[in-house]
Structure formats: C-alpha cells, structure tokens
C-alpha cells in the first residue's frame, strides 16, 4: 500500500509540484522566523493610521445630535439644551395630508412646514374656527398659537395669508408623540377607523376629510406605532425570561463542549448512522416508486404518457403516469448505486477522515484554552463594528444645514435646488412655483472635506472589511499554530510546548501581520466589489434589461465562488504559515500544491467534517430549543416552574435557539480549524517522513494502523 501511495503522490506531483526535501530535524512549527510581507504590513499600518485620522476628522465635523434630535424646517434641533427649542422636543407637521409617502415623513422631506412644539395637539381646531371663537374666549387662540411658527397676539390674518406665509397650520388634529414627532391618534370604533373619535373632519380649507385619508398619508408611521406596542410587549417578555435565556445559553455552551469532547468516541458512529439512514431512505423511495409503477401498470389508463396529456399546470397530473414513477425509480437506483460505490472505493479515505475527527477532539481536550479564543475574536470584531458604525454616523452628520426647494405637487422647475429659508417667499422661485417651500434637506457643505464625504464613507467601509477579515485571519493563524504544536509533538501530551495558543498568537502578531493583512486585503477587495455590485443592482433595478440582469447574475455568482475559493485557500495558507513561517504567497502556493496532490482526501474530509459540524449545531440548538419550548409554554410545571403569562413565547424561544446556534458555531469553528490544521499536518507528515528513526511519523497510532505504517521503534518491538 505504501508503494502505491508513493507512486500516486509522485504522479500527481508532476503537475502540482513534487514533495519537497524537508529538513530532517523538523520538530513542529518553526521557532526562528523573520517578518514576512513587510511592505503589506506597512501599508496596513498606514491605512489604520488614516482610518484613525478619518475618525478624528469625522468626530470634529460630525454631530450625532442631528440623528438623535428631530430637525425643523429651519434646520434647528428640537429639545436641544441651550437653544430656544430646549423645552420643545417634539416635531409638529402643519399639514400631514401632503405627505403622500411614509418614508417622506421619516426622512423629513414632507412638503409642509415643520416646527418644534412642547406637546402634540389634543383636540380638533381649524384656523377659521379660532377667528370666531377668539372673540368670545381668548383661551382658544392661546392654545392654538403654540402650534404656529411665529407668535401673534390675535388671529388677525386671513386664512389665505396664513397659508401663504406658512405662519400657522390650517387645522390641528388629536395626535400623539412617537419618535419625537406628532402623528394622528388613530383608533378603531365598531370596526371604523377614527381620529379623536371622529370619522370625518374639516381640514381647515373648507374640505371634509375622513380618517382613512389621513391614515394613508401616514400609513407607514402607523405600522411603526403598532410595532411600538409590540416592542413594549417583547421588552416585558425579555424582562421576565432573561435569566432563563442565560441558563439556556449556558447549557448550550456545556453541550457544545461535550459534543466536541465526545467526538473522539462518536464521530464514526454518527457518520455511519447518517450514511446508512440515507441509503435506507433512498431504498424506501425505490420500493415506493416500484409499487406505484405496478399499481398504474394494471389500470386501464396505463397507456397514457407525457405526450398524450401534454403540458399541464397541475403537477399532480404527471404523478398519475407510470412513466413518471419509472423515471424516479431509475434516478433513485442510480443515486443509490453511486453512494454505495463511493462508500466502497473511498472507504479507506472515509476511515482516515473519521480518525482525524477523533484526533481533533483529542487535541482540543489537551488544549482547552482554544475554546475560549472565539470570545477574543468576538471582542475584536465588536470593536471594529462599533468604530465603523460611529465613524459612519459622524460622517453622515458632517456639515452645515442644506435647504432644498420642495413643491407640494412636484411640478416645479426649481424643485430640489438649494435655497435660503430667510425671505424665501419674496424670491422669484416662490412666485414661479406657488406653494413651493424652502425646507431643510440634509447636512453638507462646499469645503474639500464635505465634497469627499462619499469617498470617505467608501474608505470607511473598505477598511472595516479589511479589519474584519484580518481579525478572522489572526484567529485562524493562532489556532493553526497551537494545533500544529500538538500534532508535531512526538509524545503527546508530554512534548506539547507550554502555552501553545499564547505562543502561536504572539508569533502571528510579531512575524506575520503583513502576511495576514495581505490575505485579508484580497478578501476585502472581493467583498467590496460584491457590495458595490449589490448597490448598483438596487439603484438600477427598474432600468435593467434582460441581458443586464443575466450579466448581473453571472457576476454575482462569479464573485461568490471567488470569495469562497479565496477563503478556503487563505485558511490553508495560514496553516502553512503557522507551521513554516513563510510569507503569504509561498504559503498559499505550498498549501495549494499539497492539497492538489491529495484532492480526493480533501473532498472526502470536507464532506465528512461538514456533516459532523452541521449535525452538532442542529443537535445543540434543537435540544435547547425543545427544552425552551416546553418551559416557555408552561408544559413542565411538575418538573420546574417557568415564566408565566408571556405575550409572545416565541420571542425568548427564538432568542435561545439562535443564541445556542451561535455558541455552537463558535465552538465548532475552533474544531473545524483544528481538523483542517491536523489534516494539513497529516499530509505533510506522510510526504516528509518514512517511519525511520531519523524521520518518524507523528500521526496517531489509529492513523498509522489505517495507513499501514509504523515507526522504526514500533517495528523493532
């Protein structure tokens, strides 16, 4: 068997590089190293410095209060301390009926005057009513005037003048504050939509409106109001179940650890149970298809075929044909035969994969600190995400208020042009476009900094992607170094060096920052192209032809495949880097050649590992989900008394299931990196060593037995 394997390796090596003549004194990851990819390291550091400077510039010019506080038509904040609007924290819309789209309201682009008020209206009143009622009771005007832009002693102006100057609303309606904005107080009475217990009302201009019209103007806002009520109930559920959620996540952590530890005993059992289960299910399908075929063969309609019935929209019609069941039976038979042949011819490689899974579980047992590393990765990722979000927020709020012309009917040649709200009604634009208004639009400026805000946002996104991929690459390289130290220890665990994870992490930072930055840079560029492609697809969706849609799908597929391939190659390059200390390109080349020389082992190993890990995640999340379901639905009162009277039991249930899956994914990502590292080391061990006293095998006894190999000392014994 050894001779066959050596000849196969050399035949494949003619195409993918022959196995190298390695140092016979190699005893694990190289200790004496030098810095790799120094140029990329310097570029990476320069980008980080530029990123920090960008954050400082955004912090100086940006103002997140512009997001926290609503802004009136003049660009002033509502509720900001030290301003005339300090006690006016709510935004009021003069005429909400002009807002035809809910998104227009949220983005402060509704073509109506907006002012800051201390409270929302609580009654129906029109300006014309006030002019009559003021003569008998001045309290009406006192109440109404707080919703005017300027202060009047009495309502002396005519309605047309008020509407022209935008000094006061033509009418006010009962409203409630939401997101610091006044929105109509909708309710349902006997199945009829009402506003302040009224179904119809006067809009102040002599027209009678109904509540449905007002609802359409703020339809999306009312959905948000409903969401607010749901949010309150969800918060109540979390307040009642938070400690049960923590208990469930703790149990998920324990189950994940137990699953990884027990894989050394159960990996083979799980795989063969699943495999024979699939074979049994396909066999049942074959038997079922044969029964249906035999039944239809005996019926008078057995002569019908696909050509006879033609094309049918009802798919069930085709299942009444014996040819359909015969074709399905043939397909299932071929699939069954393929699986059985694969198991027969690849049985030895499957045994190797299962042995490596067991070896990985044993390695984590000797290096338990590796299971804590995902918490460090999570911390680094949280820092990167938080910094990116803060910089993006400050960049988005940089600049001075910019005002734009907004026309109610959208039919003005000057619409969207910049304007000055001071004295706008006396300008030529106001005369050319009756009803047009000058409203605050966004924040910007004409300085060099403000002209490149979009470029800075793209830079912020690109460096963010680079940093995220670098953090992941650092974790993969550190874990690979730790597990390589385990594999290349001849006598386990005695020869395992002290603190292998800490040592590998230090080596990765000290010597290979440039190489890790190089690999993560390639991924960041690919991901940036994918994001730009998705953005263009969203913006140009309506203007796309069939050809452009086809090309878009092809590009998306190509970039997705490219990203997956680069991630796979990078991961294996980091393993070679952690072992030999070479730069990124040489490590990627060596990893690629090594994998291509053992392509069948790679294919089988990946499939077996993926199956075991997916099964583990489903098992952990499923067990915790079942327990949480029984607890939150009060079906375990005899065993344990859980929370009662939940509004939505599925909220904490989904939280526990998703959280358990994420925890399991964190544990199994370490295990996957362990398997990949041990597999690479195993392939290197086969090519580097021959079992002699000078070049002993480092693999476990189970792997030696499968490969029919022995070390010289074992042979003598």
């Amino acid at each position: 068997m050894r001779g066959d394997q050596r000849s196969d390796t050399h035949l494949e090596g003619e195409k993918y590089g022959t196995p190298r003549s390695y140092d016979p004194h190699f005893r694990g990851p190289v200790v004496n190293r030098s810095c790799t990819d120094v140029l990329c390291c310097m570029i990476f550091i320069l980008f980080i410095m530029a990123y920090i400077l960008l954050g400082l510039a955004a912090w100086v010019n940006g103002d997140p209060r512009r997001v926290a506080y609503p802004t009136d038509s003049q660009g002033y904040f509502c509720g900001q301390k030290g301003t005339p609007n300090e006690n006016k924290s709510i935004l009021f819309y003069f005429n909400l009926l002009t807002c035809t789209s809910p998104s227009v309201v949220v983005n402060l682009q509704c073509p109506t005057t907006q002012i800051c008020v201390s409270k929302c209206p609580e009654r129906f009143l029109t300006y014309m009513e006030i002019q009559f009622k003021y003569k008998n009771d001045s309290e009406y005007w006192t109440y109404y005037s707080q919703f005017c832009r300027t202060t009047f002693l009495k309502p002396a102006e005519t309605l047309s003048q008020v509407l022209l100057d935008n000094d006061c609303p033509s009418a006010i309606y009962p409203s409630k504050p939401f997101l610091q904005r006044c929105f109509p107080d909708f309710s349902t009475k006997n199945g009829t939509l009402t506003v302040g217990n009224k179904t119809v009302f006067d809009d102040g201009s002599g027209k009678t409106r109904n509540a449905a019209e007002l609802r359409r103007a703020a339809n999306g806002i009312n959905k948000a109001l409903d969401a607010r009520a749901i949010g309150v109930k969800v918060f109540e559920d979390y307040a009642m179940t938070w400690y049960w959620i923590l208990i469930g996540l703790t149990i998920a952590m324990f189950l994940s650890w137990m699953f990884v530890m027990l894989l050394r005993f159960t990996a083979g059992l799980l795989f063969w149970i699943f495999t024979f289960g699939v074979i049994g299910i396909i066999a049942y399908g074959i038997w079922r298809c044969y029964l249906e075929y035999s039944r239809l063969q005996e019926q008078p309609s057995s002569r019908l075929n696909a050509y006879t019935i033609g094309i049918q929209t009802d798919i069930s019609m085709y299942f009444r044909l014996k040819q359909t069941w015969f074709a399905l039976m043939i397909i299932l038979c071929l699939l069954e035969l393929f699986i059985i042949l694969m198991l027969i011819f690849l049985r030895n490689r499957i045994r190797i994969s299962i042995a490596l899974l067991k070896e990985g579980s044993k390695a984590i047992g000797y290096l338990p600190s590796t299971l804590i590393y995902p918490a460090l990765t999570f911390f680094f990722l949280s820092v990167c995400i938080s910094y990116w979000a803060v910089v993006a927020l400050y960049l988005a709020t940089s600049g001075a208020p910019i005002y734009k012309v907004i026309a109610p009917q959208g039919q003005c040649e000057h619409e969207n042009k910049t304007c000055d709200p001071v004295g706008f009604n006396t300008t030529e634009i106001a005369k050319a476009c009756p009803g047009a208004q000058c409203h605050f639009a966004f924040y910007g400026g004409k300085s060099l900094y403000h002209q490149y805000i979009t470029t800075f946002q793209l830079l912020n996104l690109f460096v963010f992607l680079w940093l995220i991929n670098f953090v992941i690459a650092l974790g993969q390289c550190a874990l690979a170094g730790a597990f390589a130290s385990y594999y290349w220890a001849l006598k386990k665990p005695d020869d395992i060096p002290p603190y292998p994870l800490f040592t590998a992490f230090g080596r990765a930072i000290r010597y290979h920052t440039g190489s890790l930055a190089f690999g993560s840079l390639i991924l960041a560029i690919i991901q940036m192209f994918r994001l730009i492609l998705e953005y263009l697809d969203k913006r140009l969706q309506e203007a796309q032809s069939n050809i452009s849609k086809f090309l878009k799908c092809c590009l998306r597929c190509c970039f997705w495949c490219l990203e997956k391939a680069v991630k796979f190659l990078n991961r294996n390059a980091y393993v070679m880097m952690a072992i030999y200390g070479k730069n990124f390109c040489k490590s990627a080349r060596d990893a690629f050649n090594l994998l291509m020389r053992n392509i069948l082992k790679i294919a089988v190993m990946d499939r077996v590992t993926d199956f075991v890990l997916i099964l583990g995640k489903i098992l952990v999340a499923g067990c915790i989900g079942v327990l949480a379901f029984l607890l939150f639905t009060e079906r375990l009162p005899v065993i344990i008394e859980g929370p009662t009277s939940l509004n939505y039991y599925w909220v904490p249930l989904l939280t526990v299931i998703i959280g358990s899956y994420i925890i399991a994914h964190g544990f199994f990502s370490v295990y996957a990196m362990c398997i990949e590292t041990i597999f690479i080391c195993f392939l290197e061990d086969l090519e580097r060593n021959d079992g002699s006293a000078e070049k002993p095998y480092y693999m476990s006894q189970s792997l030696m037995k499968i490969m029919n190999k022995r070390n010289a000392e074992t042979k003598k014994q």
Side-chain angles (χ1 to χ4, degrees), residues 459-674:
L459 177 63
N460 180 33
L461 178 60
F462 176 73
V463 181
F464 165 71
L465 293 175
W466 195 356
L467 287 174
I468 289 291
N469 286 298
F470 177 82
V471 169
I472 296 173
L474 176 61
Q476 292 173 342
C477 189
L479 290 171
F483 292 124
S485 299
Y486 161 82
Y487 184 91
W488 295 109
L490 189 59
K491 296 180 180 179
K492 303 174 179 64
D494 298 334
D495 292 345
I496 299 177
Y499 310 111
L501 180 59
F502 179 78
T503 304
F505 181 82
R507 280 200 302 260
I509 288 290
R510 181 178 179 183
Y511 298 110
H512 304 304
T513 297
S515 298
L516 297 175
F518 191 6
S520 55
L521 173 63
I522 298 173
L523 263 180
I525 293 173
I526 296 172
Q527 291 168 349
M528 193 70 183
F529 273 111
R530 288 191 65 190
L531 289 175
I532 293 175
L533 189 64
E534 292 294 334
Y535 173 78
L536 293 176
D537 177 42
K538 296 296 182 182
R539 294 299 298 267
L540 304 176
Q541 196 165 13
E542 297 181 357
Q544 290 180 359
S545 62
N546 292 331
I547 297 177
S548 62
K549 290 180 180 179
F550 173 75
L551 293 176
K552 174 203 67 179
C553 292
C554 292
L555 285 174
R556 291 171 67 180
C557 180
C558 290
F559 275 110
W560 182 85
C561 294
L562 180 62
E563 183 179 353
K564 293 295 181 182
V566 170
K567 281 183 177 180
F568 176 77
L569 185 60
N570 280 10
R571 213 162 46 241
N572 291 282
Y574 299 147
V575 175
M576 300 296 282
M577 189 188 306
I579 298 173
Y580 298 109
K582 296 184 179 181
N583 62 32
F584 176 79
C585 291
K586 290 182 179 179
S587 298
R589 180 201 62 192
D590 294 342
F592 179 78
N593 290 335
L594 179 66
L595 296 177
M596 289 299 102
R597 290 195 297 269
N598 301 272
I599 188 65
L600 281 179
K601 293 188 182 73
I602 290 291
V604 176
M605 185 69 213
D606 281 349
R607 297 287 73 78
V608 173
T609 304
D610 289 344
F611 155 69
V612 172
L613 295 184
I614 291 173
L615 184 64
K617 294 174 187 177
I618 294 175
L619 187 64
V620 171
C623 289
I624 300 299
V626 170
L627 291 175
F629 174 78
L630 296 176
L631 180 69
F632 295 141
T633 55
E634 302 180 53
R635 301 189 183 187
L636 293 174
V638 179
I639 303 175
I640 186 172
E641 185 177 355
T644 58
S645 303
L646 292 177
N647 296 300
Y648 308 108
Y649 74 87
W650 51 265
V651 171
L653 176 62
L654 287 179
T655 303
V656 170
I657 293 175
I658 296 173
S660 300
Y661 186 87
I662 293 173
I663 289 174
H665 178 75
F667 274 83
F668 296 152
S669 64
V670 174
Y671 182 69
M673 198 65 208
C674 175

Side-chain angles (χ1 to χ4, degrees), residues 171 262 306 325 448 559 611 701:
L262 292 176
W325 294 103
L448 185 65
F559 275 110
F611 155 69
Q701 292 297 325

Side-chain angles (χ1 to χ4, degrees), residues 93 96-97 105 120-121 124 173-178 181-187 194-196 201 211 213-219 221-222 225:
Y93 298 90
L96 197 63
L97 290 166
V105 179
C120 296
F124 283 101
Y173 324 110
S175 306
K176 285 186 177 181
F178 175 61
R181 291 163 174 82
C182 291
F183 291 110
D185 182 16
F186 291 109
S187 60
T194 63
V195 178
F201 54 89
E213 292 181 74
L214 197 58
R215 181 66 179 260
R216 283 193 295 269
N219 187 41
I221 303 304
N222 284 278
L225 287 170

Side-chain angles (χ1 to χ4, degrees), residues 390-408:
V390 170
V391 172
L393 176 63
Y394 273 87
L395 285 174
T397 56
S398 296
I402 300 297
Y403 301 90
K404 295 281 188 178
V405 176
I406 296 178

